[in-house]
Amino acid sequence: MVEPGEVVFEGGGRESAADWFRRICDLHDGVFSAEPFAWVPEMSPGHEEELGSLMTVPGFRLVVARQRDRLVGYVYGHPLPVDHGWWRDFTHPLPAGLVRERPGRTFAVISLAVLPERRGRGTGKRLMEELLRDREEQRAVLSVQPTALATQGVYRHWGWRKVGRKGPLAGVTPPCWDIYVRELGVPRR
């Protein structure tokens, strides 16, 4: 039996994302429109469109953290296609072995958000662990805004390593992103 204040973690795919869609979008906007993140109003409908599109990608996966029916955090991602542009537009050239993709090599973590009052309590770490548990890919990749230094520190603590900075990208807010990679299938802290 689940206690009233207990956080429950649930994973799923397109159907789960459809059930939580509005609450995911609201949490996204609340988290990423606050400091230290760069935000413009166009990011809200842009995120809705991106999430709606990603829900149809084969291998899309979502994990939510909830207290009863209240969403307190989410994370989602998908396997990175071989022809994806993830490895272009870096400020410095990256090693060929890092950027060479093959089917099933990389899982892209697209978005992770946790309510401020749930941070520092293991919610984000558990969301990430649930998302990446049992993945068949060799590694995972994610992007972080350069101003989100505390977030970057958390990712490093969880075993992610920064491989470079992407950008500047025209028409994107922020124009630069720090890219992190983590090997999968190895013990995590």
Side-chain angles (χ1 to χ4, degrees), residues 39-75:
W39 178 265
V40 292
E42 298 80 33
M43 292 173 87
S44 182
H47 173 254
E48 289 182 21
E49 184 177 321
E50 178 185 47
L51 177 56
S53 175
L54 290 176
M55 289 167 45
T56 67
V57 171
F60 170 85
R61 178 131 168 89
L62 163 79
V63 179
V64 297
R66 65 174 178 84
Q67 285 179 307
R68 295 189 179 158
D69 289 334
R70 180 176 179 238
L71 184 68
V72 298
Y74 74 83
V75 63

Side-chain angles (χ1 to χ4, degrees), residues 71-83:
L71 184 68
V72 298
Y74 74 83
V75 63
Y76 62 82
H78 64 87
L80 196 63
V82 173
D83 61 350

Side-chain angles (χ1 to χ4, degrees), residues 84-97:
H84 198 281
W86 196 283
W87 301 113
R88 292 192 296 256
D89 302 316
F90 277 78
T91 57
H92 296 89
L94 298 177

